[in-house]
Amino acid sequence: DGGITQSPKYLFRKEGQNVTLSCEQNLNHDAMYWYRQDPGQGLRLIYYSQIVNDFQKGDIAEGYSVSREKKESFPLTVTSAQKNPTAFYLCASSIEQSGNYGYTFGSGTRLTVV
Amino acid sequence: GNSVTQMEGPVTLSEEAFLTINCTYTATGYPSLFWYVQYPGEGLQLLLKATKADDKGSNKGFEATYRKETTSFHLEKGSVQVSDSAVYFCALLYNYGQNFVFGPGTRLSVLP
């Protein structure tokens, strides 16, 4: 079955560490996205990529970095510069750049700073 | 700017009750409107969508009509089930080729 796989499901980070969240899709979708979800808030866009080797900052990109070396993969690195990284992170993809067919979401990674 | 406002939750209903979750939006131009559902511990799933005024999206007994005159996209279901318990997000897609704006979500709990 096609879909988006995020790993790990739970991740713990020590203060000052960088961690990388994996997102892989086998849907042959062009566009991929990273969102952050905090309790009681909607999703906020971190980064998005509409084609391979290109990505754009979203609304809250500070303290995060991404790469898009392959169409299938869009990993997110949470750096030590992100001061409040504890959140639920969602990866999504869309069949075309417009997003008008809606997004397919992964099942998320919950990151906790310990 | 572009924004989405949803009714505050949690919403608690008994099984077979009628559901309405209000959603209003502010946007320039003519956005597409979506409802997503998130079950506990999972990502979001597209529930339904409407791409122009007066369109009605429907899926799994849920419906929502794109009302441009009231800038609304309220979600309704005639008879909810316990399995409908989840968080529901209203979202708009503006500027064709750009990105979604999500509402804060409304948690629905359906009691047997």
Side-chain angles (χ1 to χ4, degrees):
Chain A
D1 287 339
I4 295 183
T5 301
Q6 288 187 241
S7 61
K9 192 170 180 66
Y10 298 96
L11 185 58
F12 297 90
R13 191 195 93 168
K14 292 182 180 178
E15 296 278 355
Q17 271 187 338
N18 292 356
V19 291
T20 297
L21 284 59
S22 171
C23 178
E24 304 278 333
Q25 54 102 357
N26 61 3
L27 300 165
N28 200 33
H29 283 181
D30 287 323
M32 297 186 75
Y33 310 82
W34 273 106
Y35 285 90
R36 171 179 171 141
Q37 184 179 20
D38 293 284
Q41 297 189 35
L43 281 65
R44 293 184 289 169
L45 182 66
I46 305 172
Y47 268 98
Y48 64 101
S49 167
Q50 295 190 331
I51 55 173
V52 175
N53 292 323
D54 186 57
F55 48 83
Q56 306 295 327
K57 292 182 179 180
D59 301 321
I60 55 164
E62 185 175 352
Y64 300 97
S65 66
V66 293
S67 62
R68 186 85 186 278
E69 297 176 0
K70 299 186 300 182
K71 189 175 186 178
E72 302 80 18
S73 179
F74 191 42
L76 173 74
T77 297
V78 184
T79 75
S80 57
Q82 171 48 242
K83 296 307 178 189
N84 184 23
T86 295
F88 190 52
Y89 291 86
L90 287 163
C91 180
S93 69
S94 61
I95 192 169
E96 57 166 359
Q97 295 175 12
S98 72
N100 215 34
Y101 291 94
Y103 289 177
T104 300
F105 281 86
S107 57
T109 293
R110 187 166 298 281
L111 173 63
T112 304
V113 173
V114 295
Chain B
N2 301 297
S3 66
V4 174
T5 302
Q6 292 181 232
M7 63 188 292
E8 287 190 21
V11 174
T12 303
L13 296 173
S14 298
E15 205 164 22
E16 299 183 1
F18 184 86
L19 169 71
T20 300
I21 299 179
N22 290 339
C23 170
T24 56
Y25 68 90
T26 302
T28 55
Y30 302 95
S32 295
L33 300 173
F34 299 76
W35 276 102
Y36 283 85
V37 58
Q38 184 180 33
Y39 297 101
E42 297 184 12
L44 277 66
Q45 300 175 24
L46 178 62
L47 183 59
L48 54 84
K49 69 171 188 174
T51 57
K52 61 183 187 297
D54 299 326
D55 268 2
K56 177 185 284 188
S58 61
N59 185 27
K60 299 180 181 179
F62 290 90
E63 292 183 341
T65 302
Y66 189 164
R67 301 285 188 201
K68 191 171 187 302
E69 63 276 14
T70 55
T71 61
S72 65
F73 193 55
H74 304 323
L75 182 68
E76 296 182 336
K77 186 175 185 182
S79 176
V80 293
Q81 305 300 312
V82 172
S83 57
D84 293 327
S85 298
V87 180
Y88 292 82
F89 291 90
C90 185
L92 68 83
L93 180 67
Y94 65 98
N95 289 346
Y96 189 86
Q98 300 300 316
N99 304 304
F100 278 87
V101 174
F102 287 88
T106 300
R107 182 175 300 278
L108 170 66
S109 294
V110 180
L111 305 177

